[in-house]
C-alpha cells in the first residue's frame, strides 16, 4: 500500500526527464552535423495514479512492478529508423540502463492492429536520498504508427470493452493503411533523407553566410559599399537556391575574415 504517492512518483518523474533529455540530445547531435536523425521527436509521461492502481490490480502485482509508470516514446520518420534506435539502446545496455525485455509488436502486430517496438529497461535514478532502481518503458514507433495508436487509444478509452464491431474493424483496416504508408515511405527513403539533409545543409550555410557578413560589417575595416555588394550577392544566390554558389560565397567570406585578422 503506497502512503505517499508524490514521494513514490518522484524517481519516475526524474527518470522521464533524464531519458527524454538523453534521447533528445541524440537528435540534436545529428542536427548539428546536418545529418538525418533516426529520431524525429521524443515525448514522455508518468502514468496517472489511477492507471497505475488499475494496472497493478489487473496484473496482481505491486505498483513498483508496473513496467510503464515511467514511459518514453521515441518517434521515427521511417520504419528503417526503428532498428537503428533499438541498436542504440542495446549499445547502452549495462551502461546507463539495463534492458529487461524487448517486445516487437511490429513483426508481431497486436490483435488490435497496434504496432510499436517496446523496450523495458531498469534505470537507476540518483536522488537526494540515495539511488533508486526503477523500471521504464521505451516505445519506439513511426509517425504513422503513432498517429494510429493515438487515435485508437482515445477511441478505446471511450468504449473500452464495448467498442462497436464495425468501429473495431475500421480501426484494424486503418492500421493496415498506416502500415502501407510506412512501406511506401521506406521505398522513397533515399529521397526523404537526401532532401532533409540538403535542407539542413542549406540552412546552416545561409546562417553562416549571414554571420560572416555581420562579422565583416562590425569589424569596421570593410567599406560599406563592399558590404552592400556582398549582401546583394547573398540575396541573389539565396533566391536562386544554388548550394554550390552558396558554398563559394561562404568560402570567400571565410577568406576575407581570415585576411582581416592576419593583416
Ligand atoms: P523540438 O525542438 O520542437 O523538437 P518538454 O518537457 O517541453 O521538453 P514535453 O513536455 O515532453 O517536452 O513536450 P511534448 O508535448 O511531449 O513534446 C515533446 C516534443 O515533441 C516537443 O518538441 C514537440 O514539439 C514534439 N512533438 C510533439 N508532437 C509532435 C508531432 O506530432 N510532430 C512533431 N514533429 N513533433 C512533435 P520540443 O521538446 O519542444 O523540441
Ligand atoms: P498509456 O499510458 O495509456 O499508454 P497491457 O496489459 O496491454 O495493458 P502490458 O502488458 O504491460 O500492458 O504492456 P504492453 O501491451 O506491451 O504495452 C502497454 C502500452 O503499450 C500501453 O500502455 C499503450 O501505451 C501501448 N499499447 C499496447 N497495446 C495497445 C493498443 O492496442 N493500442 C494502443 N493505442 N496502445 C497500445 P497503457 O497501459 O495503455 O498506458
Amino acid at each position: 500500500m503506497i502512503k505517499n504517492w508524490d514521494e513514490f512518483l518522484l524517481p519516475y518523474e526524474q527518470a522521464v526527464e533524464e531519458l527524454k533529455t538523453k534521447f533528445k540530445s541524440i537528435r540534436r547531435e545529428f542536427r548539428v552535423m546536418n545529418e538525418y536523425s533516426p529520431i524525429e521527436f521524443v515525448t514522455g509521461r508518468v502514468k496517472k495514479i489511477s492507471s497505475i492502481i488499475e494496472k497493478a490490480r489487473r496484473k496482481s502485482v505491486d505498483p513498483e512492478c508496473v513496467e510503464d509508470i515511467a514511459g518514453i516514446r521515441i518517434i521515427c520518420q521511417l520504419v528503417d529508423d526503428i532498428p537503428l534506435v533499438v541498436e542504440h539502446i542495446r549499445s547502452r545496455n549495462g551502461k546507463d540502463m539495463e534492458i529487461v525485455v524487448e517486445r516487437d509488436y511490429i513483426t508481431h502486430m497486436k490483435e488490435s492492429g497496434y504496432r510499436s517496438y517496446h523496450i523495458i529497461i531498469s534505470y537507476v535514478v540518483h536522488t537526494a536520498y540515495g539511488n533508486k532502481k526503477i523500471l521504464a518503458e521505451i516505445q519506439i514507433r513511426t509517425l504513422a504508427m503513432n498517429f494510429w495508436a493515438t487515435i485508437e487509444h482515445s477511441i478505446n478509452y471511450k468504449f473500452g470493452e464495448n467498442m462497436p464491431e464495425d468501429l473495431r474493424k475500421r480501426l484494424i483496416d486503418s492500421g493496415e493503411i498506416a502500415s502501407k504508408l510506412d512501406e511506401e515511405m521506406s521505398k522513397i527513403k533515399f529521397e526523404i533523407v537526401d532532401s532533409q539533409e540538403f535542407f539542413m545543409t542549406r540552412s546552416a550555410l545561409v546562417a553562416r553566410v549571414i554571420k560572416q557578413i555581420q562579422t565583416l560589417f562590425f569589424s569596421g575595416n570593410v567599406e560599406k559599399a563592399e558590404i552592400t555588394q556582398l549582401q546583394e550577392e547573398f540575396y541573389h544566390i539565396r533566391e536562386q537556391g544554388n548550394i554550390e554558389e552558396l558554398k563559394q560565397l561562404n568560402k570567400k567570406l571565410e577568406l576575407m575574415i581570415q585576411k582581416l585578422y592576419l593583416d
Side-chain angles (χ1 to χ4, degrees):
M1 186 70 173
I2 301 209
K3 287 198 192 93
N4 186 336
W5 276 96
D6 285 345
E7 194 184 319
F8 173 78
L9 291 177
L10 221 51
Y12 294 94
E13 280 158 11
Q14 191 172 325
V16 166
E17 284 314 310
E18 286 181 15
L19 289 166
K20 258 187 357 190
T21 306
K22 285 180 179 184
F23 290 110
K24 278 183 183 184
S25 76
I26 298 173
R27 173 179 165 76
R28 215 165 300 126
E29 281 165 33
F30 278 102
R31 290 200 81 137
V32 167
M33 303 302 290
N34 294 325
E35 281 177 30
Y36 173 84
S37 164
I39 296 177
E40 177 62 7
F41 65 92
V42 182
T43 62
R45 62 96 186 94
V46 173
K47 213 175 178 69
K48 285 202 295 269
I49 297 172
S50 57
S51 306
I52 300 172
I53 294 171
E54 187 275 318
K55 198 160 183 170
R57 195 171 296 151
R58 181 157 51 83
K59 298 203 167 225
S60 306
V61 295
D62 288 334
E64 46 266 59
C65 298
V66 172
E67 294 168 335
D68 64 342
I69 297 178
I72 297 296
R73 206 164 267 170
I74 300 177
I75 312 297
C76 311
Q77 292 193 42
L78 304 165
V79 181
D80 300 356
D81 298 333
I82 295 177
L84 302 177
V85 176
V86 170
E87 262 321 306
H88 173 82
I89 295 170
R90 286 185 189 147
S91 77
R92 293 175 93 132
N93 191 23
K95 293 175 183 150
D96 61 341
M97 53 190 77
E98 261 165 46
I99 296 178
V100 176
V101 65
E102 292 185 23
R103 296 188 185 116
D104 181 355
Y105 297 129
I106 297 174
T107 315
H108 307 285
M109 184 180 80
K110 280 197 160 190
E111 225 173 82
S112 59
Y114 177 76
R115 292 181 308 133
S116 257
Y117 198 99
H118 292 193
I119 301 181
I120 308 294
I121 58 162
S122 88
Y123 185 77
V124 177
V125 180
H126 304 275
T127 72
Y129 305 101
N131 295 348
K132 179 137 175 62
K133 202 181 234 188
I134 57 140
L135 290 172
E137 181 187 69
I138 307 174
Q139 298 181 342
I140 309 145
R141 44 168 86 154
T142 61
L143 287 161
M145 293 174 194
N146 191 47
F147 174 55
W148 182 90
T150 305
I151 287 174
E152 194 266 358
H153 192 273
S154 51
I155 294 178
N156 229 329
Y157 190 78
K158 179 179 170 194
F159 290 101
E161 294 295 303
N162 306 317
M163 194 188 304
E165 204 39 52
D166 70 315
L167 188 54
R168 190 183 306 279
K169 190 173 172 319
R170 270 174 198 273
L171 281 171
I172 293 173
D173 290 348
S174 57
E176 273 162 25
I177 295 169
S179 182
K180 190 91 191 104
L181 180 61
D182 274 331
E183 257 174 56
E184 288 301 312
M185 288 301 170
S186 271
K187 288 184 195 151
I188 54 164
K189 178 184 163 175
F190 174 77
E191 278 71 18
I192 296 173
V193 172
D194 194 52
S195 55
Q196 289 179 2
E197 287 192 343
F198 174 84
F199 177 76
M200 284 189 281
T201 308
R202 195 174 184 283
S203 312
L205 261 176
V206 164
R208 220 174 307 149
V209 166
I210 293 172
K211 211 166 164 193
Q212 302 206 92
I213 294 177
Q214 278 176 348
T215 305
L216 289 169
F217 174 75
F218 287 114
S219 74
N221 293 324
V222 182
E223 292 291 328
K224 208 170 165 219
E226 198 174 354
I227 297 284
T228 309
Q229 201 184 336
L230 286 168
Q231 262 173 339
E232 273 164 14
E233 192 179 342
F234 165 59
Y235 294 146
H236 179 69
I237 294 172
R238 191 176 59 176
E239 266 153 45
Q240 278 197 349
N242 185 331
I243 199 150
E244 281 314 313
E245 282 176 281
L246 206 53
K247 279 183 187 163
Q248 278 167 20
L249 176 62
N250 183 50
K251 191 83 206 142
K252 179 165 101 179
L253 294 167
E254 260 172 30
L255 292 173
M256 283 179 79
I257 292 171
Q258 268 175 23
K259 192 168 178 302
L260 210 66
Y261 289 103
L262 284 177
D263 285 348

